[in-house]
Amino acid sequence: MAASTTQTLAAGAPARRNITGSLIGIAAIIVIGIIGYYLFPNNLALLTRIIATALLVLSIDLVTGYCGVATLGHAALFGAGAYAAGIASAHYGISDPLLMTLVGALAGAVAGLVSGLIILRAHGLPQLVLSIAVIHLFHEAANKASSWTGGSDGLSGIAPTALLGLFEFDLWGRTAYIYGLALLLIVFVLLQLLVRSPFGMLARGVREDPLRISAMGASVQSVLLRMYVISGVVAGIGGALSAMSTQVVGLDSLSFTLSAESLVMLVLGGTGSLYGALVGTVSFMWFEDVVSAANPFHWLTMVGALLIAVVLFAPRGLYGTAAALVQRLKGGRA
Amino acid sequence: MIPLFGVQNLNKSFGGLAVTNNVSLSLAAGDRLALIGPNGAGKTTFVNLVTGNLLPNSGTVRLAGQDVTRRNAMERVRLGLVRSFQVTRLFYGMTPEEHLALAVLQREGKSGRMVGRYQAMPEVMDEVRDILDLLGLLELSHLKVREIAYGQQRLLEIALALALRPKVLLLDEPAAGVPQSETARIEQALDKLPPDLAVLMIEHDMDLVFRFAKRVIVLAAGTVIFDGSPQDVTKDARVREAYLGSYANVGSAA
Ligand SMILES: Nc1ncnc2c1ncn2[C@@H]1O[C@H](COP(=O)(O)OP(=O)(O)OP(=O)(O)O)[C@@H](O)[C@H]1O
Ligand SMILES: [Mg+2]
């Protein structure tokens, strides 16, 4: 009896808790961003790369974590954004950072639509294989179209103009970093709205039981395809950021390796939560950076060991496991 | 009069095994029909054929005057043909409230909205609460489905179907797996179904069938062997034979 009363009383709380949760998340990103800025002033390029990758990992989370589509080809969406923004600047003189970001987002959306149309034809293992085929096709296409993309030499000549006409992309990468942080914040806030919206709930339903979703009259394919396009926008923005900050785009941005690594980052942090994607990216890339500096020969072994440890002992990922622990502690107290 | 729902000469075989043999039936608004038959008779397959989850080898399915045989499952749902599952299919990480909100939003064409939250839509919340209340699930509305008892999950299956406001409802063993002590709650829920809804219920519990149905169809090895009143079904020789013996077995099969 007492238990059921508490449940009923708690009924109004989730909404408020959600909003507080979002505010805490936003504050955390800002604070960590500022700390990073002052702690690693000579390493802002790395931090910006982490942000760009975080956008890719968030984008994978949308289709994998929220919709249950496993993919090893998601860098196609990121690379499309990077190349499109780079080509816009290098070949067409579209060098305004905001416009380049927009071009990247659009190209990501188109790449999302194309790979979604291909990948979503299959399920399970064949789907995973299709996703690998997609990234290889994108990679090969970029390699062959070398007059546009620079092929294996990479695309250079990218020269973003001053942000808002005020802030030049400086040698230390300050502008790129702060712009990246702002993009990440905006994307994060919008995605939080998205995953809590009716559409976000529909997507979670698709992940849990597609047959049940169609028994409710909703189209699973249409949900997945829409999510793929949104995911493309997010990854495309990440790609554009990467193009602007490094001012080159290489074939590695369109590679199977990047696809697989970013999926690993997601699993490391925890799928199905936006925080998981961020935590996974930051911990993986930070760990990679530290370990590869300390031991250039065995760092991959260490990364492998970390992954095995997480999968075995914290199968929900770093963030997922921590969140579950906090939940349990709270539950114990109440 | 054109019936609300009609199936003509439906056939389906898996490999060489004919699982649905020339099955025809129709339903009018307000009908309460029980579809019974021994295990493996083809009852669930029949539902799958009718809802579009399986393609028949031949035959037609008509709903509200339209031939829907070639329509896919979700189009049929949108036309008012809704089913429940023999083994509960729910979103185990979501709450009963979220289930019903999703169903209501979907029915209203709002499930694709990318901003806003259903909690802030009074028209959705009111209906969700009404349905939860109707089925006695209000207290559980914020628990994850995997944390609630199976009997309550079965009730949520029915609630979910109701939230879609069907014209024709196909219930595949709504009381399956529910302990005897809790079947009364399922029965109460069945009593509360809208009177003008056409309901076809598959059920092994003959007591439940007798109380619920005004008409019974018996399926054996994919063929309709009886179509008539609940009073006559136990007297029918072929039905007894299909169940390998007496009605006593039919009752205990539940
Ligand atoms: N996808 C399938 N492929 C092959 N055979 C199938 C398939 N689905 C069902 N069957 C077979 O068809 C027959 C009818 O199965 P069905 O599930 O329709 O029976 P049922 O009447 O619902 O039984 P129960 O009372 O046990 O639920 C069974 O022999 C079953 O093994
Ligand atoms: Mg069955």
Side-chain angles (χ1 to χ4, degrees), chain A residues 30-47 172 174 177 181 282 286 289-290:
Chain A
I30 295 176
V31 169
I32 294 173
I34 293 175
I35 293 176
Y37 184 88
Y38 286 107
L39 222 52
F40 307 105
N42 301 320
N43 230 345
L44 291 181
L46 171 69
L47 298 189
W172 299 273
R174 283 184 202 135
Y177 175 68
L181 205 56
V282 174
W286 170 79
D289 190 62
V290 170

Short mmCIF file of all heavy atoms in Angstrom, two decimals, chain A residues 30-47 172 174 177 181 282 286 289-290:
data_model
loop_
_atom_site.label_atom_id
_atom_site.label_comp_id
_atom_site.label_asym_id
_atom_site.label_seq_id
_atom_site.Cartn_x
_atom_site.Cartn_y
_atom_site.Cartn_z
N ILE A 30 29.23 22.93 -20.85
CA ILE A 30 29.87 24.25 -20.85
C ILE A 30 31.08 24.25 -19.90
O ILE A 30 32.18 24.68 -20.28
CB ILE A 30 28.86 25.34 -20.43
CG1 ILE A 30 27.76 25.45 -21.50
CG2 ILE A 30 29.56 26.69 -20.26
CD1 ILE A 30 26.65 26.42 -21.16
N VAL A 31 30.87 23.74 -18.69
CA VAL A 31 31.95 23.76 -17.69
C VAL A 31 33.13 22.92 -18.17
O VAL A 31 34.28 23.38 -18.16
CB VAL A 31 31.43 23.25 -16.32
CG1 VAL A 31 32.60 23.00 -15.38
CG2 VAL A 31 30.45 24.24 -15.73
N ILE A 32 32.85 21.71 -18.65
CA ILE A 32 33.94 20.86 -19.12
C ILE A 32 34.62 21.51 -20.31
O ILE A 32 35.86 21.48 -20.45
CB ILE A 32 33.41 19.44 -19.48
CG1 ILE A 32 32.94 18.75 -18.20
CG2 ILE A 32 34.50 18.61 -20.17
CD1 ILE A 32 32.25 17.43 -18.43
N GLY A 33 33.82 22.15 -21.16
CA GLY A 33 34.39 22.86 -22.31
C GLY A 33 35.34 23.95 -21.87
O GLY A 33 36.44 24.10 -22.42
N ILE A 34 34.94 24.73 -20.88
CA ILE A 34 35.79 25.83 -20.40
C ILE A 34 37.05 25.29 -19.74
O ILE A 34 38.17 25.77 -19.98
CB ILE A 34 35.00 26.73 -19.42
CG1 ILE A 34 33.88 27.46 -20.19
CG2 ILE A 34 35.93 27.76 -18.76
CD1 ILE A 34 32.96 28.27 -19.32
N ILE A 35 36.88 24.26 -18.92
CA ILE A 35 38.04 23.64 -18.27
C ILE A 35 39.04 23.17 -19.32
O ILE A 35 40.25 23.42 -19.23
CB ILE A 35 37.61 22.47 -17.36
CG1 ILE A 35 36.80 23.00 -16.17
CG2 ILE A 35 38.83 21.68 -16.87
CD1 ILE A 35 36.25 21.92 -15.27
N GLY A 36 38.51 22.49 -20.35
CA GLY A 36 39.37 22.00 -21.42
C GLY A 36 40.15 23.13 -22.07
O GLY A 36 41.34 23.02 -22.35
N TYR A 37 39.45 24.24 -22.28
CA TYR A 37 40.05 25.40 -22.94
C TYR A 37 41.25 25.92 -22.16
O TYR A 37 42.30 26.22 -22.72
CB TYR A 37 38.99 26.50 -23.07
CG TYR A 37 39.43 27.72 -23.83
CD1 TYR A 37 39.29 27.78 -25.21
CD2 TYR A 37 39.98 28.81 -23.16
CE1 TYR A 37 39.68 28.90 -25.92
CE2 TYR A 37 40.38 29.94 -23.86
CZ TYR A 37 40.23 29.99 -25.24
OH TYR A 37 40.62 31.10 -25.93
N TYR A 38 41.10 26.00 -20.82
CA TYR A 38 42.19 26.56 -20.02
C TYR A 38 43.24 25.53 -19.64
O TYR A 38 44.40 25.86 -19.42
CB TYR A 38 41.64 27.24 -18.76
CG TYR A 38 40.97 28.56 -19.13
CD1 TYR A 38 39.60 28.70 -19.11
CD2 TYR A 38 41.76 29.65 -19.53
CE1 TYR A 38 39.00 29.90 -19.48
CE2 TYR A 38 41.17 30.84 -19.90
CZ TYR A 38 39.80 30.97 -19.87
OH TYR A 38 39.23 32.14 -20.26
N LEU A 39 42.83 24.28 -19.56
CA LEU A 39 43.76 23.24 -19.15
C LEU A 39 44.68 22.81 -20.30
O LEU A 39 45.85 22.50 -20.09
CB LEU A 39 42.96 22.02 -18.65
CG LEU A 39 43.46 21.32 -17.40
CD1 LEU A 39 43.66 22.33 -16.27
CD2 LEU A 39 42.44 20.26 -16.95
N PHE A 40 44.14 22.79 -21.51
CA PHE A 40 44.92 22.32 -22.66
C PHE A 40 44.98 23.37 -23.76
O PHE A 40 44.57 23.11 -24.89
CB PHE A 40 44.33 21.03 -23.23
CG PHE A 40 44.13 19.95 -22.21
CD1 PHE A 40 42.86 19.65 -21.73
CD2 PHE A 40 45.22 19.22 -21.74
CE1 PHE A 40 42.68 18.65 -20.79
CE2 PHE A 40 45.03 18.22 -20.80
CZ PHE A 40 43.76 17.93 -20.32
N PRO A 41 45.49 24.57 -23.46
CA PRO A 41 45.47 25.64 -24.47
C PRO A 41 46.26 25.27 -25.72
O PRO A 41 46.01 25.81 -26.79
CB PRO A 41 46.08 26.83 -23.73
CG PRO A 41 46.84 26.26 -22.58
CD PRO A 41 46.15 24.99 -22.22
N ASN A 42 47.22 24.35 -25.58
CA ASN A 42 48.02 23.97 -26.74
C ASN A 42 47.47 22.75 -27.45
O ASN A 42 48.08 22.25 -28.38
CB ASN A 42 49.46 23.70 -26.31
CG ASN A 42 50.06 24.93 -25.67
OD1 ASN A 42 49.82 26.04 -26.13
ND2 ASN A 42 50.78 24.73 -24.57
N ASN A 43 46.36 22.27 -26.95
CA ASN A 43 45.83 21.03 -27.49
C ASN A 43 44.39 21.21 -27.97
O ASN A 43 43.63 20.27 -28.04
CB ASN A 43 45.88 19.94 -26.41
CG ASN A 43 46.52 18.69 -26.97
OD1 ASN A 43 46.65 18.57 -28.19
ND2 ASN A 43 46.90 17.78 -26.10
N LEU A 44 44.06 22.45 -28.34
CA LEU A 44 42.67 22.72 -28.73
C LEU A 44 42.28 21.94 -29.99
O LEU A 44 41.12 21.59 -30.17
CB LEU A 44 42.46 24.22 -28.93
CG LEU A 44 42.54 25.04 -27.64
CD1 LEU A 44 42.30 26.52 -27.93
CD2 LEU A 44 41.53 24.53 -26.62
N ALA A 45 43.27 21.66 -30.84
CA ALA A 45 42.95 20.91 -32.06
C ALA A 45 42.42 19.53 -31.71
O ALA A 45 41.44 19.06 -32.29
CB ALA A 45 44.20 20.78 -32.94
N LEU A 46 43.05 18.91 -30.72
CA LEU A 46 42.57 17.60 -30.28
C LEU A 46 41.16 17.72 -29.71
O LEU A 46 40.27 16.92 -30.03
CB LEU A 46 43.51 17.00 -29.23
CG LEU A 46 42.96 15.74 -28.55
CD1 LEU A 46 42.91 14.57 -29.52
CD2 LEU A 46 43.76 15.37 -27.31
N LEU A 47 40.96 18.75 -28.88
CA LEU A 47 39.64 18.92 -28.27
C LEU A 47 38.57 19.14 -29.34
O LEU A 47 37.46 18.61 -29.24
CB LEU A 47 39.65 20.08 -27.28
CG LEU A 47 40.60 19.94 -26.09
CD1 LEU A 47 40.36 21.07 -25.08
CD2 LEU A 47 40.43 18.60 -25.40
N TRP A 172 45.91 28.72 -33.21
CA TRP A 172 45.78 27.92 -31.99
C TRP A 172 44.49 27.12 -31.98
O TRP A 172 44.29 26.29 -31.13
CB TRP A 172 45.84 28.83 -30.76
CG TRP A 172 47.14 29.56 -30.68
CD1 TRP A 172 48.29 29.11 -30.11
CD2 TRP A 172 47.42 30.84 -31.22
NE1 TRP A 172 49.28 30.03 -30.26
CE2 TRP A 172 48.78 31.10 -30.94
CE3 TRP A 172 46.67 31.79 -31.94
CZ2 TRP A 172 49.40 32.30 -31.34
CZ3 TRP A 172 47.27 32.96 -32.32
CH2 TRP A 172 48.64 33.22 -32.03
N ARG A 174 41.49 28.38 -31.46
CA ARG A 174 40.53 28.84 -30.45
C ARG A 174 39.14 29.01 -31.04
O ARG A 174 38.15 28.53 -30.49
CB ARG A 174 41.00 30.17 -29.86
CG ARG A 174 42.12 29.99 -28.87
CD ARG A 174 42.48 31.31 -28.23
NE ARG A 174 43.84 31.22 -27.72
CZ ARG A 174 44.77 32.15 -27.90
NH1 ARG A 174 44.49 33.27 -28.54
NH2 ARG A 174 45.97 32.00 -27.40
N TYR A 177 37.51 25.77 -31.83
CA TYR A 177 37.09 25.06 -30.62
C TYR A 177 35.80 25.65 -30.07
O TYR A 177 34.84 24.92 -29.77
CB TYR A 177 38.20 25.11 -29.57
CG TYR A 177 37.81 24.49 -28.25
CD1 TYR A 177 37.59 23.11 -28.17
CD2 TYR A 177 37.64 25.26 -27.11
CE1 TYR A 177 37.22 22.53 -26.97
CE2 TYR A 177 37.28 24.69 -25.91
CZ TYR A 177 37.08 23.33 -25.84
OH TYR A 177 36.71 22.75 -24.66
N LEU A 181 32.23 23.89 -29.83
CA LEU A 181 31.52 23.73 -28.56
C LEU A 181 30.09 24.27 -28.68
O LEU A 181 29.13 23.63 -28.21
CB LEU A 181 32.28 24.47 -27.46
CG LEU A 181 32.09 23.98 -26.03
CD1 LEU A 181 32.43 22.51 -25.92
CD2 LEU A 181 32.94 24.81 -25.08
N VAL A 282 34.61 11.10 -25.31
CA VAL A 282 35.66 11.78 -24.55
C VAL A 282 36.59 10.74 -23.91
O VAL A 282 37.82 10.86 -24.03
CB VAL A 282 35.05 12.72 -23.48
CG1 VAL A 282 36.15 13.29 -22.60
CG2 VAL A 282 34.26 13.83 -24.16
N TRP A 286 40.41 10.49 -25.18
CA TRP A 286 41.36 10.91 -24.15
C TRP A 286 42.31 9.74 -23.83
O TRP A 286 43.53 9.87 -23.81
CB TRP A 286 40.62 11.37 -22.89
CG TRP A 286 41.51 11.58 -21.72
CD1 TRP A 286 42.30 12.66 -21.48
CD2 TRP A 286 41.71 10.67 -20.64
NE1 TRP A 286 42.99 12.49 -20.32
CE2 TRP A 286 42.65 11.28 -19.79
CE3 TRP A 286 41.20 9.41 -20.32
CZ2 TRP A 286 43.09 10.65 -18.61
CZ3 TRP A 286 41.63 8.80 -19.17
CH2 TRP A 286 42.58 9.42 -18.32
N ASP A 289 44.71 9.12 -26.56
CA ASP A 289 45.75 10.14 -26.61
C ASP A 289 46.80 9.89 -25.54
O ASP A 289 48.01 9.89 -25.81
CB ASP A 289 45.09 11.51 -26.41
CG ASP A 289 46.09 12.63 -26.70
OD1 ASP A 289 46.56 12.70 -27.85
OD2 ASP A 289 46.40 13.39 -25.76
N VAL A 290 46.36 9.66 -24.32
CA VAL A 290 47.28 9.46 -23.20
C VAL A 290 48.10 8.20 -23.41
O VAL A 290 49.33 8.20 -23.32
CB VAL A 290 46.49 9.36 -21.87
CG1 VAL A 290 47.41 8.91 -20.75
CG2 VAL A 290 45.83 10.68 -21.55
#
